[in-house]
Amino acid sequence: MDRIEELENALTIESAYADHIRVDDARRLTGPGLLWNRPGAVMDVFFTDTGTAQVTALWEKHARRVLDALGWQDQDVTHRSFTGGVNLAISAPMDQLYSAIFAVQTVWHFCAAELLASEPGDFDQMVADVKCVMEKEANPALIALITAAEAHGVDILCDDDEVSIGHGTGSQTWPVDALPTPDDLDWSALHNIPVAFITGTNGKTTTTRLLEAIARASGKVAGLTSTEFVRVGDDILDRGDYSGPGGGRMLLRDKRLEVACLEVARGGILRRGLPTRAATAAAVTNVANDHLGQYGVNTVPELAQAKFAVHRTLAEGGVLALNADDLYVRAEAENTSANIWWFSLDAQNNLVRQARDAGKCCAYVQEGDIVFFDGAVEQVVIAVSDVPLTMGGAANYNILNALAALCLALALDLPVQGARDGLAGFKPDAKDNPGRCNEFSYNNARVFVDFAHNPHSISAVCDALSSLPAKRRYIMLSHAGDRSDQDIRDVTATALNFQPDVVVAAELEGYLRGRELGEIPDLIKKSALEQGYDAQQILRASSPSLAASMILEKLEPGDLALLLVLSERDAVLAMLDG
């Protein structure tokens, strides 16, 4: 048994401290995130009968002692309290992040021993074991490159396999075990490119795609990351959920890239952090109740804190574009000193008016036009009705997405004409914006397909479509099993604001996530009955594609259908394209 295994075994004795304390596995932090902008390691501790102040005081004491003993006097300690627990973190050198996990676990070993009034392990021996891990992991060549890149003002991206300096057209990449010395590099050939991060509960995918369209219309080779793929120009580099830092690094290392549009989701921010501190701009589209209860993010204000981590990616002078119409965005904005560009559906929004009075940039809707104020003068960019995504102005949520994309585009120094062309040319169809309110004609009825899956997004879509005339209305509903019963009732009640004549509840067999077959459709039916629907109005289907087929068979001219498709989207789109 080597000393790393000995250390792992020594630390496992704390896996079940007591009934009232639970600890999640420590994880590496590779970039800016919820806690701070430092690399290092973090663990989440949950407790019921232990005081937060006691835990954090022990953490500060023992973490400082361990860090100093490891020779990490220049590294820091932090924590974040939440209801029922704390996040506990240390910073560490970029070539010592696995070692940092062992360091965090070692610190907690001594915290737990004191909490439980038990005898801890031998401090000197445990520190020596962590140093053994550090020796195996150390990569002096990486640290030399990081120091040199910082001195030259160029970004450096690191992961387990590769290291790159610069972005896109100004980048170069090497295997992590074959790094050059700083003197070997032609630093004049290495540079950063315009980079934007887009996050929020809803709208981030559409805004990312729209920003990329604007960059393309401006004559740039643009690329994006998303929950579906990584793409440069028309070339898809890989498919899958790439809304985390791995997708960002993949995109930024492509030497064709001139402008980067990165969608970033809550999970990537909380698990690993963001991939760079050299972004030109970032946006938070909105914040709403969705995916709470992970990593100590239990409330919507705490979710806003997580989303706002994007401000830590900004280079000096970078722009943070924020939705002035969103309550949680407005509240969290008070905790950042970033250079904010507000956007709003209302030119008279207080924050927009204050921005104009202060000579700060902002964007808004005024008399049916999308307007940008550059700090000195207003400029009409385009009529709302000329932006296809807005459905003639009915889709307020997409007007906000257009405003966010406009702010980001101008912050990236793209031309106003490019923004105008991109906004006018981007269609709400399966080619430009798949899964986002895509409209089809079927048997002279109107059919809309959307990925909306939480009350906020479903409400936005239903509001946009509620004004459309229809002889009869149909809606397809389904939910993943990891949502609570109350979440499913809330989403169903929100969807029924569409006032459908027929509801089809679809089973998501691949997304049961601990529930039984039929349980989710049962909840949907029960919720609809509670909302006053008759049992005859509520149908069931064993899959989304079967549910869509049932609705399409019933459609007559003048009808309207909304298919909320959470899986089997390609199969549903094929039915409509056929």
Side-chain angles (χ1 to χ4, degrees):
M1 179 185 296
D2 66 21
R3 297 185 70 184
I4 294 178
E5 291 178 88
E6 290 175 2
L7 178 58
E8 290 173 337
N9 289 339
L11 295 170
T12 59
I13 64 173
E14 315 302 349
S15 60
Y17 302 100
D19 292 339
H20 61 283
I21 301 177
R22 177 174 65 84
V23 179
D24 278 357
D25 289 339
R27 61 189 183 275
R28 294 177 297 159
L29 296 175
T30 58
L34 171 61
L35 299 180
W36 54 8
N37 65 352
R38 305 286 300 273
V42 62
M43 67 168 23
D44 308 320
V45 179
F46 305 89
F47 43 78
T48 53
D49 299 330
T50 303
T52 299
Q54 181 184 12
V55 174
T56 56
L58 288 172
W59 176 256
E60 295 286 338
K61 179 179 76 171
H62 290 295
R64 190 70 266 163
R65 183 185 178 207
V66 169
L67 290 178
D68 288 348
L70 293 175
W72 288 356
Q73 287 87 355
D74 58 342
Q75 300 303 321
D76 292 328
V77 180
T78 193
H79 65 267
R80 169 186 167 269
S81 301
F82 54 85
T83 302
V86 289
N87 309 121
L88 304 172
I90 63 170
S91 67
M94 198 66 193
D95 69 332
Q96 301 275 262
L97 300 189
Y98 284 106
S99 301
I101 289 176
F102 285 106
V104 162
Q105 293 170 325
T106 300
V107 174
W108 180 249
H109 173 94
F110 291 100
C111 293
E114 193 162 340
L115 284 169
L116 301 175
S118 63
E119 187 68 24
D122 182 84
F123 180 85
D124 291 338
Q125 182 60 57
M126 295 182 77
V127 167
D129 287 336
V130 177
K131 285 184 175 181
C132 176
V133 182
M134 291 168 57
E135 185 177 350
K136 291 175 179 289
E137 189 182 9
N139 189 340
L142 173 60
I143 298 303
L145 279 183
I146 291 173
T147 302
E150 290 175 352
H152 285 86
V154 186
D155 195 23
I156 183 166
L157 306 177
C158 312
D159 56 41
D160 292 342
D161 301 314
E162 294 181 319
V163 174
S164 58
I165 298 179
H167 305 151
T169 56
S171 69
Q172 192 168 352
T173 305
W174 304 268
V176 72
D177 57 357
L179 299 178
T181 67
D183 291 341
D184 292 333
L185 301 184
D186 177 7
W187 290 97
S188 65
L190 301 172
H191 59 80
N192 300 336
I193 63 170
V195 174
F197 285 101
I198 301 95
T199 194
T201 301
N202 297 303
K204 54 186 176 292
T205 298
T206 295
T207 302
T208 302
R209 292 169 175 170
L210 190 51
L211 177 60
E212 188 214 23
I214 291 172
R216 286 190 187 215
S218 302
K220 300 294 185 180
V221 177
L224 62 80
T225 63
S226 70
T227 54
E228 297 187 5
F229 51 69
V230 179
R231 184 177 70 199
V232 174
D234 294 322
D235 183 13
I236 294 179
L237 305 186
D238 199 7
R239 293 186 181 275
D241 185 348
Y242 279 107
S243 58
R249 288 189 293 267
M250 182 189 301
L251 178 67
L252 291 170
R253 286 170 176 162
D254 192 294
K255 291 181 71 66
R256 298 167 293 179
L257 187 70
E258 295 177 328
V259 174
C261 314
L262 293 89
E263 176 184 348
V264 287
R266 166 203 53 86
I269 293 172
L270 296 174
R271 279 193 297 272
R272 289 285 183 265
L274 295 152
T276 177
R277 299 172 187 80
T280 314
V284 181
T285 59
N286 50 63
V287 181
N289 184 348
D290 195 30
H291 296 299
L292 298 178
Q294 294 178 313
Y295 304 108
V297 175
N298 303 318
T299 67
V300 180
E302 288 174 338
L303 182 60
Q305 294 172 14
K307 299 291 186 182
F308 265 70
V310 294
H311 88 270
R312 296 192 173 98
T313 69
L314 295 172
E316 185 176 354
V319 169
L320 181 63
L322 297 179
N323 181 356
D325 298 341
D326 187 280
L327 170 66
Y328 296 105
V329 171
R330 293 197 303 268
E332 186 58 30
E334 296 180 4
N335 299 321
T336 176
S337 59
N339 176 24
I340 297 173
W341 289 9
W342 292 105
F343 59 89
S344 171
L345 294 173
D346 182 6
Q348 298 308 310
N349 177 286
N350 284 338
L351 290 170
V352 166
R353 292 175 63 182
Q354 291 170 15
R356 287 200 304 265
D357 291 345
K360 296 182 178 180
C361 298
C362 52
Y364 42 89
V365 176
Q366 185 168 260
E367 298 179 356
D369 292 325
I370 289 178
V371 176
F372 184 75
F373 178 74
D374 67 3
V377 297
E378 289 182 329
Q379 181 174 5
V380 173
V381 177
I382 191 171
V384 169
S385 59
D386 290 336
V387 181
L389 208 61
T390 70
M391 298 173 58
N396 282 336
Y397 66 100
N398 271 338
I399 300 175
L400 285 166
N401 292 336
L403 288 164
L406 172 65
C407 287
L408 291 172
L410 298 183
L412 297 182
D413 205 26
L414 297 173
V416 172
Q417 187 60 48
R420 185 176 292 120
D421 293 342
L423 292 170
F426 190 82
K427 303 294 193 300
D429 57 26
K431 177 180 178 294
D432 285 349
N433 202 24
R436 270 68 181 180
C437 215
N438 303 152
E439 182 177 359
F440 300 85
S441 176
Y442 192 92
N443 195 28
N444 291 319
R446 300 180 74 177
V447 180
F448 292 86
V449 176
D450 200 283
F451 184 69
H453 60 285
N454 56 48
H456 186 271
S457 59
I458 289 175
S459 177
V461 172
C462 290
D463 286 348
L465 299 182
S466 62
S467 62
L468 300 180
K471 187 170 67 176
R472 293 179 304 171
R473 293 171 178 265
Y474 297 82
I475 193 167
M476 181 182 84
L477 288 176
S478 59
H479 305 296
D482 57 353
R483 293 186 177 275
S484 69
D485 288 3
Q486 188 59 51
D487 284 344
I488 293 168
R489 285 192 287 268
D490 290 345
V491 171
T492 302
T494 300
L496 295 179
N497 291 332
F498 180 62
Q499 298 183 325
D501 298 285
V502 176
V503 177
V504 181
E507 187 78 78
L508 294 180
E509 189 169 352
Y511 295 85
L512 293 176
R513 295 171 181 170
R515 291 186 182 266
E516 298 295 324
L517 276 171
E519 190 176 345
I520 301 296
D522 284 347
L523 275 169
I524 294 172
K525 181 176 181 178
K526 183 179 179 181
S527 299
L529 291 173
E530 291 171 351
Q531 295 292 319
Y533 277 74
D534 295 331
Q536 294 85 349
Q537 293 177 276
I538 308 164
L539 308 178
R540 300 169 71 114
S542 59
S543 69
S545 56
L546 181 58
S549 178
M550 291 168 61
I551 290 175
L552 296 181
E553 287 176 2
K554 295 178 179 296
L555 287 181
E556 297 178 358
D559 289 345
L560 179 66
L562 173 57
L563 308 181
L564 297 174
V565 182
L566 306 188
S567 71
E568 301 184 10
R569 188 180 71 194
D570 290 345
V572 172
L573 294 178
M575 293 181 201
L576 293 164
D577 283 333

